[in-house]
Amino acid sequence: MRLLYGVQATGNGHISRARAMQQALAPLDIQVDFLFSGRPVGQLFDMAAFGNYQWRPGLSFVSKAGKISHWHTWQQADLRQLWRDVHQLETRRYDLVLTDFEPVTAWAARRQGTPVIALGHQYALNPPTPLCGMDWFQRSLLAYFAPARHSIGLHWHHFGYQPQQNRLILPPIVDLPTHSDGVDDADTVLVYLPFEDPNDVLTWLAPLQQYKFRIYGAGLPTHTLPHLQFCPPSVHAFKQDLIRAAAVVSNAGFELISEALQLGKRIMVKPLLGQPEQRSNALALQQLGLAFAQNQLSSQCVVQFLTEYQPTQSVRYPDVAAAIAQWLVKGDWYDNAALQQLWQKVLFQQKDVRADLPDARRVQTTMGLT
């Protein structure tokens, strides 16, 4: 079997999911070629797992200071190049195209009649999953950005969705190492706020000297403070810091939150404003009692999260990547009974919301909030 796998590379989450799928597909009788789009090729890093991958410009959203900039998004979009790429990409030599919200592969396969399956979080953003700010334009964008006859949406819960032969919602695919290079640190917080102004992030975190922050993202300052460590892009270092950290502060993307949930981390999310997917994610996390959500960040918000918040339940997910890989190789894509059973293996557990919280009084006194 020969598979073309298209990946939307705007954020690292899609790439992280593709890494997990690559590991699940590698032992099987299947040849996989990867194509990435949505980010300048020079900004991709740690891509050796994907071999001699292809790249196209694709389409992406542009954000400024924590908010989607529609003007800069349309200004950057090159629709003529997208049209050329769709018409020039040959998909007929593949048995299947798998698209993770990647438009070039999806539309090229549709145009040439190649079977295409969509896999990703965006394909789960339909009722009855929680939605916020999803108007007609946003719904149309999700439906036509990277369409497919078969789709597998990924979400933290099925929310009562009734599966169909060609439409499913499954638990998340997580890409986590099997071991840690160090020991857990109760004072370390992993910070991933790539859509925020780095100077704002510095302002929010600088007063919180009793914690150690490991900060990832583009355009970060080169200087450091004793408790703020700005980290260069690295898949391995990021995953290890995620394993060791006591808590995570991030935007409301899907993949990092899924990995943090799998590890049992306390999570604070700030959705990217103007981005209904992230606003819907924050709403879903609140309804499930899995994370602390705020539309605006400040030092006080971070203190409140670190000293007072505890999720009301935890969750563990099965190996979804392996199950999907086996299903793809079988080739009967209308028979998804085995995939539907994955929800029976998801383990939700109620938690004591006051257990193991930090010393709130110590933190508030340090910040002068009393």
Side-chain angles (χ1 to χ4, degrees), residues 34-321:
F34 288 90
L35 185 150
F36 296 85
S37 75
R39 182 194 304 193
V41 66
Q43 295 180 13
L44 297 172
F45 60 93
D46 291 351
M47 300 290 285
F50 303 112
N52 188 26
Y53 63 87
Q54 302 179 56
W55 175 85
R56 301 292 189 278
L59 292 174
S60 181
F61 292 100
V62 178
S63 65
K64 299 289 183 180
K67 184 177 181 179
I68 287 287
S69 172
H70 296 289
W71 167 250
H72 287 94
T73 295
W74 285 112
Q75 191 177 45
Q76 174 184 278
D78 190 341
L79 298 181
R80 290 184 179 180
Q81 184 62 52
L82 177 66
W83 187 91
R84 287 193 293 266
D85 289 341
V86 167
H87 283 73
Q88 292 173 1
L89 179 64
E90 176 59 56
T91 67
R92 283 174 287 236
R93 58 197 177 101
Y94 294 96
D95 300 296
L96 175 68
V97 170
L98 186 66
T99 178
D100 188 332
F101 209 55
E102 197 292 306
V104 178
T105 50
W107 281 103
R110 179 172 176 145
R111 176 176 173 269
Q112 297 171 39
T114 306
V116 56
I117 296 174
L119 171 68
H121 176 55
Q122 286 79 6
Y123 302 99
L125 296 178
N126 292 291
T129 62
L131 300 175
C132 184
M134 199 72 70
D135 58 20
W136 173 86
F137 174 78
Q138 296 292 341
R139 291 193 298 270
S140 299
L141 182 64
L142 288 175
Y144 293 105
F145 188 85
R149 183 179 299 275
H150 295 263
S151 70
I152 300 176
L154 304 170
H155 216 310
W156 301 304
H157 195 276
H158 56 73
F159 298 100
Y161 178 80
Q162 295 301 312
Q164 305 170 38
Q165 279 191 318
N166 62 338
R167 295 286 187 271
L168 284 178
I169 291 180
L170 297 182
I173 294 171
V174 294
D175 176 37
L176 291 170
T178 57
H179 68 282
S180 171
D181 290 346
V183 296
D184 294 351
D185 189 341
D187 290 328
T188 295
V189 180
L190 176 70
V191 179
Y192 183 62
L193 295 164
F195 301 112
E196 309 300 321
D197 187 319
N199 292 319
D200 289 341
V201 176
L202 184 64
T203 299
W204 299 328
L205 302 182
L208 308 183
Q209 299 179 21
Q210 65 285 343
Y211 288 98
K212 293 178 286 186
F213 295 96
R214 301 279 293 175
I215 308 169
Y216 287 83
L220 294 175
T222 56
H223 64 279
T224 63
L225 295 175
H227 66 299
L228 302 181
Q229 182 68 47
F230 298 99
C231 306
S234 169
V235 172
H236 177 78
F238 183 86
K239 301 290 186 182
Q240 291 299 320
D241 282 337
L242 174 59
I243 290 175
R244 293 191 292 264
V248 174
V249 176
S250 76
N251 291 120
F254 181 72
E255 190 63 23
L256 171 58
I257 303 304
S258 300
E259 294 167 359
L261 289 173
Q262 187 79 337
L263 292 169
K265 307 299 180 180
R266 291 193 299 130
I267 303 165
M268 177 179 184
V269 297
K270 187 268 182 187
L272 175 60
L273 301 181
Q275 222 275 24
E277 177 192 346
Q278 291 212 3
R279 293 175 63 191
S280 298
N281 287 347
L283 177 61
L285 289 167
Q286 286 182 302
Q287 289 187 6
L288 294 170
L290 293 173
F292 181 75
Q294 290 287 306
N295 287 326
Q296 300 290 336
L297 287 184
S298 65
S299 299
Q300 288 79 6
C301 284
V302 178
V303 166
Q304 181 183 1
F305 163 65
L306 293 175
T307 62
E308 299 179 11
Y309 176 76
Q310 190 76 313
T312 59
Q313 61 180 343
S314 61
V315 62
R316 294 284 293 181
Y317 296 110
D319 190 345
V320 176

